[in-house]
Amino acid sequence: MSDFDNLTTPPPAPAPEGEVPQDQRTMALLAHILGIFTGFIGSLIIWLVNKDNPEKGFVTDQAKEALNFQITLIIASFVSGILTLVLIGFLMLVAIGIANLVLCILAAMKANNGEAYRYPFALRLIK
């Protein structure tokens, strides 16, 4: 297995012990949905506020996942911005925007149901 496989293969979602409380599910939902409107800032704030509280494990995990995905989108947008010089970047920017909208909504729905969601293509830079 190469190092590249470790970066692109999503880790398995942690198995929650019992039912996830509603307040944690709501905060995890917000971490994912805020990515559509604020980029990485919303999930970063939620992660920083909850990362030291072991009782908020679900929120911390989902905020970290949303943060990693938004960082991946920033990198992809930067590359697409450069590629606009050869006109393919415009198509990539549209695809990135659609992927952000669709995947954030899917993640928010899963988080609201108490299920840990893993984005299919995200660099896991924050562990």
Side-chain angles (χ1 to χ4, degrees):
M1 181 179 264
S2 70
D3 290 335
F4 183 73
D5 291 336
N6 290 335
L7 290 177
T8 58
T9 305
E17 298 175 9
E19 181 69 24
V20 178
Q22 182 61 42
D23 65 330
Q24 289 191 38
R25 289 189 281 165
T26 303
M27 289 300 290
L29 174 134
L30 281 175
H32 291 292
I33 287 294
L34 284 174
I36 296 171
F37 304 106
T38 66
F40 72 95
I41 300 296
S43 55
L44 176 65
I45 292 170
I46 291 173
W47 179 65
L48 287 174
V49 167
N50 294 296
K51 72 176 182 163
D52 295 328
N53 188 350
E55 296 173 358
K56 302 279 188 171
F58 183 72
V59 175
T60 302
D61 175 64
Q62 291 302 292
K64 188 174 12 172
E65 184 69 18
L67 179 59
N68 282 326
F69 181 65
Q70 293 303 319
I71 291 171
T72 303
L73 290 180
I74 289 170
I75 294 168
S77 297
F78 179 74
V79 170
S80 297
I82 293 172
L83 290 176
T84 56
L85 297 173
V86 291
L87 300 178
I88 190 137
F90 293 113
L91 295 174
M92 290 177 61
L93 285 171
V94 170
I96 290 168
I98 292 171
N100 185 27
L101 181 67
V102 170
L103 292 175
C104 285
I105 291 172
L106 284 174
M109 289 182 353
K110 291 284 188 178
N112 195 37
N113 290 335
E115 302 172 35
Y117 183 77
R118 295 287 179 244
Y119 288 96
F121 56 91
L123 299 173
R124 285 167 181 87
L125 301 173
I126 299 174
K127 299 196 188 269

